[in-house]
Amino acid sequence: EVQLVESGGGLVQPGGSLRLSCAASGFTFSSYWMSWVRQAPGKGLEWVADINQDGSEKYYVVSVKGRFTISRDNAKNSLYLQVNSLRAEDTAVYYCARDNTYTSSWYGFDSWGQGTLVTVSS
Amino acid sequence: EIVLTQSPATLSLSPGERATLSCRASQSVSSYLAWYQQKPGQAPRLLIFDASNRATGIPARFSGSGSGTDFTLTISSLEPEDFALYYCQQRSNWPLTFGGGAKVEIK
């Protein structure tokens, strides 16, 4: 069974930093693109970042470029999101998701974690 | 950035009725479009990928259609558990984007 478990969220002051983690199990982690998606309270879904299988390709939504860094450790079956210079508008539940892409075919974000809440407030 | 516009924002229907949700892209996304269902307090669940393919375990009452810029998610006969939020998403171009969501509520 595919499982994704996020951790690392919490309350942080504006300008602060956190490192979010996503522990993956039940599949060959190193074979998949992975993604972070966030959802502000009462709002819709927003894609944040994506990383390919070996970490050589990374993509970000414009609003987090230069502040957030996606990375992975295939030996530990783990995905990370380093979030720096946090703003109030970054307050959200952060989900990791498996981005099931193979060559030119896309099978959707087919597995999601339960999310970890990041609250940015003084 | 490709903007996905979902309509209507809210659909009020009764169990057993047919639901039709629309997702329009600001430029062609070919068939790189997916649909998700989200219930309160839960993570999203993949329903449809590649515009028209049901994900594993998704009931046949859910179907997707369209290509290019206009897409539709149809629920042929609403079950009580189908009242939820629905999002479309494209993976044709970076940045990836989601639609604003559509709520299917009980009339």
Side-chain angles (χ1 to χ4, degrees), chain A residues 10-57:
Chain A
L11 175 63
V12 60
Q13 291 188 337
S17 299
L18 284 173
R19 188 194 198 203
L20 308 184
S21 299
C22 173
S25 60
F27 66 103
T28 305
F29 180 72
S30 59
S31 296
Y32 289 86
W33 283 73
M34 295 296 296
S35 184
W36 287 98
V37 176
R38 67 183 177 183
Q39 187 169 36
K43 301 298 183 182
L45 301 172
E46 181 182 37
W47 170 80
V48 174
D50 242 61
I51 187 168
N52 73 337
Q53 291 91 337
D54 65 4
S56 61
E57 293 183 53

Side-chain angles (χ1 to χ4, degrees), chain A residues 68-94:
Chain A
F68 290 12
T69 303
I70 189 171
S71 62
R72 65 192 296 163
D73 185 335
N74 287 340
K76 294 183 177 179
N77 291 336
S78 292
L79 175 72
Y80 306 101
L81 187 67
Q82 179 68 40
V83 296
N84 298 330
S85 303
L86 282 163
R87 307 166 180 166
E89 54 265 34
D90 295 318
T91 294
V93 173
Y94 285 73

Side-chain angles (χ1 to χ4, degrees), chain B residues 46-87:
Chain B
L46 176 67
L47 298 175
I48 301 288
F49 65 90
D50 199 30
S52 61
N53 292 283
R54 272 189 305 277
T56 303
I58 301 304
R61 64 181 181 272
F62 291 92
S63 63
S65 63
S67 67
T69 61
D70 289 295
F71 300 87
T72 301
L73 174 70
T74 301
I75 311 171
S76 60
S77 178
L78 283 163
E79 296 288 339
E81 61 268 28
D82 299 336
F83 292 92
L85 278 164
Y86 293 85
Y87 294 92

Side-chain angles (χ1 to χ4, degrees), chain B residues 10-23:
Chain B
T10 303
L11 200 54
S12 299
L13 295 169
S14 300
E17 290 192 295
R18 183 184 188 90
T20 303
L21 305 177
S22 172
C23 177

